[in-house]
Amino acid sequence: MTTTVRILGAAALALLLSACASQIDAGLSSGPDVPGFWWGLWHGFIFPWSWIGSLFSDDIAVYAVPNTGGWYDFGFFLGITVLGGGSFFGSKKRNN
């Protein structure tokens, strides 16, 4: 197979799988006490510790529900990738 066919196949598979993703309406809310972008950023940053804690306690969650939706998700993503070091560790040059 050529590289172009593999890339197109992977893109088509990713598009097909992402079309199935949805969030139930009960998980979305609005108001001053509902987590938004800044809480999503914080929750993304502390994700590794929250995940470990959630293995031992049912009172600890890694993702807030209900939340404001897209802005919370965007903050969560930035918290995991940027603040959590995801992009830093992924960009390190490997010396073999």
Side-chain angles (χ1 to χ4, degrees):
M1 286 177 97
T2 65
T3 305
T4 305
V5 173
R6 287 184 182 179
I7 291 172
L8 289 175
L13 182 61
L15 183 63
L16 180 67
L17 290 175
S18 66
C20 300
S22 67
Q23 185 172 3
I24 58 172
D25 290 339
L28 299 177
S29 187
S30 61
D33 57 341
V34 177
F37 173 78
W38 295 109
W39 276 113
L41 190 67
W42 174 248
H43 291 162
F45 179 67
I46 64 170
F47 170 77
W49 298 279
S50 300
W51 180 73
I52 292 169
S54 72
L55 296 175
F56 300 103
S57 174
D58 291 337
D59 295 333
I60 300 173
V62 296
Y63 189 82
V65 175
N67 59 53
T68 56
W71 283 112
Y72 178 85
D73 294 341
F74 182 60
F76 192 81
F77 172 75
L78 285 179
I80 286 177
T81 58
V82 177
L83 297 177
S87 60
F88 171 74
F89 293 119
S91 66
K92 277 190 165 183
K93 190 175 190 177
R94 300 189 192 276
N95 294 329
N96 292 335

